[in-house]
Amino acid sequence: MTDTARASRPFDLVVYGATGYTGRLVAEYLAHHYQGSGPKWAMAGRSADKLAEVRDLIGAPADTPLVVANSDDPASMQALAQSARAIVTTVGPYQLYGEPLLAACVAAGTDYADLCGEPVWMRQMADKYHDAAKASGARIAFSSGFDSIPFDLGVFMLQQEAKARFGAPAPRVKGRVRAMQGGFSGGTAASLKATMVTLGQQPALLQYMISPFGLTPGFEGPAQPRGDAPEFDDAVGSWCAPFIMATINTKNVHRTNFLLGHPYGADFVYDEMMLTGPGEQGEAVARHIATTPMMGGENDPKPGEGPTKDERENGYYDVLFVGEYPDGRTIRYGVKGRYDPGYGSTSRMIAETGIALMACTAQGGISTPGALLGEALVTRLRDHAEITFAVEE
């Protein structure tokens, strides 16, 4: 499918799952940020009545197209995929509901972005559909939200700066979350539970969950830091705690490096942790975080639930990346976002990824936002999503 042929389709962009918690936020962002301009977009979901209700609730124009589609109906998935240049989907857990739309987009040569943080499913889909997506021209961007765009693009931009400054990429990069305020939704909790069920039924798949190179088929890089225990990091003068999203983010960073032909080096080492401060208090906080599950309990929110509007708008995140060279040279790069990371900011990230895909010239395949879009997406996120990317001296 050529980009010229795709351009003749009825819609530029479709939000699938627009009646769900996160999908509604994506639709609301498009309705208000691109009112009267930008892509011709549509809302898609299982119920025409519910779509109309959400359209009115979010203040979208009354003529916003509504598309009824259900992952249980292959014909509706095929029709949906053939109606748009790009589709962003928030319908998870993807391992339960994602493959029908993904397969339809691959077959139709339609660009696709999701919020998947389920590495086992991602590896299965890459193994199954990567070659077909290359053949059809479908550009598939997994993990187009807080997992893993700030980290994927943060490392990408640090390495661009490192090569410009020092003539070579940093062989060791540390991702350190300096601050973060925000909750998680029932969809995130449901994805975790679905993953645990899958691993219980198919233990052999655990290798993809455990390995930092679970998304780089045929390539196994050097040993990576585990990041699963408190430690003091001299480079930042702070205690560090395990970071719940490191399991998916590190795999996506390595996949971007892999897909681009290892511009960070084949010996690249990367980990992520959360900063808790210096001294005894910092150590105590790090040890508390390391022994306190953040998800997986009886009090997890249910699907459709998530942070309130005030919580989303008062949320934020601040991530530091430190590139290190064997001779002691270092480079620091910061990524900071306004809004709750998992929802307020994520809804903006996936919307902008969908729009950026429409101008993308990369070849098709099961990919990452970093490998497909790189600086073009960084520019969109700076200009539209209130996310900053900057070298720190």
Side-chain angles (χ1 to χ4, degrees):
M1 173 63 65
T2 66
D3 289 327
T4 301
R6 270 192 289 251
S8 66
R9 292 178 173 179
F11 308 120
D12 293 323
L13 183 66
V14 173
V15 181
Y16 179 56
T19 60
Y21 181 89
T22 307
R24 180 183 302 199
L25 297 178
V26 178
E28 185 174 34
Y29 172 76
L30 290 170
H32 294 278
H33 201 78
Y34 292 101
Q35 185 100 28
S37 64
K40 182 178 180 182
W41 66 282
M43 299 167 58
R46 290 178 295 178
S47 165
D49 289 344
K50 190 72 180 293
L51 285 166
E53 179 186 342
V54 170
R55 177 197 61 200
D56 296 342
L57 283 172
I58 65 175
D63 62 354
T64 301
L66 307 178
V67 180
V68 176
N70 191 326
S71 61
D72 291 339
D73 178 0
S76 76
M77 290 291 96
Q78 180 181 2
L80 179 63
Q82 293 174 346
S83 73
R85 296 169 63 187
I87 294 177
V88 299
T89 172
T90 61
V91 181
Y94 294 92
Q95 60 200 283
L96 299 182
Y97 309 113
E99 185 172 358
L101 178 58
L102 174 62
C105 286
V106 169
T110 301
D111 293 339
Y112 163 109
D114 69 20
L115 300 174
C116 190
E118 304 161 40
V120 172
W121 182 79
M122 292 162 62
R123 173 57 185 267
Q124 291 174 313
M125 295 301 99
D127 289 347
K128 189 172 181 179
Y129 292 108
H130 183 63
D131 289 343
K134 286 176 66 175
S136 73
R139 291 170 283 243
I140 308 298
F142 289 150
S143 305
S144 302
F146 187 62
D147 51 340
S148 299
I149 279 179
F151 305 90
D152 185 16
L153 293 181
V155 174
F156 180 92
M157 294 300 291
L158 178 143
Q159 295 290 27
Q160 297 288 92
E161 295 288 346
K163 284 181 277 190
R165 182 175 297 190
F166 299 127
R172 170 77 170 105
V173 174
K174 299 175 177 178
R176 298 293 182 257
V177 180
R178 288 186 287 206
M180 188 170 74
Q181 178 66 44
F184 60 92
S185 81
T188 302
S191 292
L192 175 64
K193 291 174 182 175
T195 297
M196 293 302 103
V197 170
T198 297
L199 293 176
Q201 294 169 341
Q202 303 177 68
L205 297 175
L206 188 60
Q207 61 177 315
Y208 301 141
M209 193 77 174
I210 293 174
S211 172
F213 298 98
L215 297 180
T216 60
F219 175 78
E220 189 77 20
Q224 304 286 310
R226 291 172 60 93
D228 60 354
E231 63 178 62
F232 187 82
D233 188 345
D234 290 321
V236 291
S238 174
W239 278 90
C240 302
F243 179 46
I244 190 171
M245 293 170 57
T247 299
I248 181 61
N249 292 338
T250 53
K251 291 176 178 59
N252 278 319
V253 167
H254 285 300
R255 182 162 177 81
T256 292
N257 189 34
F258 169 76
L259 290 171
L260 293 177
H262 293 107
Y264 312 160
D267 58 348
F268 177 62
V269 176
Y270 176 69
D271 74 325
E272 292 177 1
M273 299 192 79
M274 179 180 295
L275 301 186
T276 59
E280 292 182 359
Q281 182 176 349
E283 180 179 6
V285 173
R287 296 194 182 283
H288 174 75
I289 291 173
T291 57
T292 307
M294 293 184 68
M295 280 191 291
E298 294 180 358
N299 295 323
D300 285 351
K302 303 296 185 288
E305 297 177 349
T308 66
K309 187 173 187 291
D310 283 347
E311 289 170 339
R312 293 194 306 269
E313 294 187 350
N314 291 321
Y316 56 85
Y317 51 93
D318 177 353
V319 185
L320 170 69
F321 299 90
V322 182
E324 299 179 340
Y325 292 81
D327 61 6
R329 292 176 298 172
T330 63
I331 183 169
R332 296 183 175 219
Y333 200 91
V335 178
K336 300 177 183 179
R338 186 183 167 196
Y339 307 111
D340 163 78
Y343 302 92
S345 189
T346 278
S347 57
R348 290 161 170 79
M349 283 187 256
I350 191 172
E352 293 299 337
T353 299
I355 295 171
L357 282 171
M358 293 186 294
C360 181
T361 58
Q363 70 172 4
I366 307 293
S367 194
T368 63
L372 285 173
L373 299 166
E375 287 192 59
L377 182 54
V378 169
T379 298
R380 291 207 67 87
L381 296 175
R382 281 172 166 158
D383 291 348
H384 300 281
E386 299 181 70
I387 302 175
T388 63
F389 295 79
V391 174
E392 298 188 1
E393 302 296 344

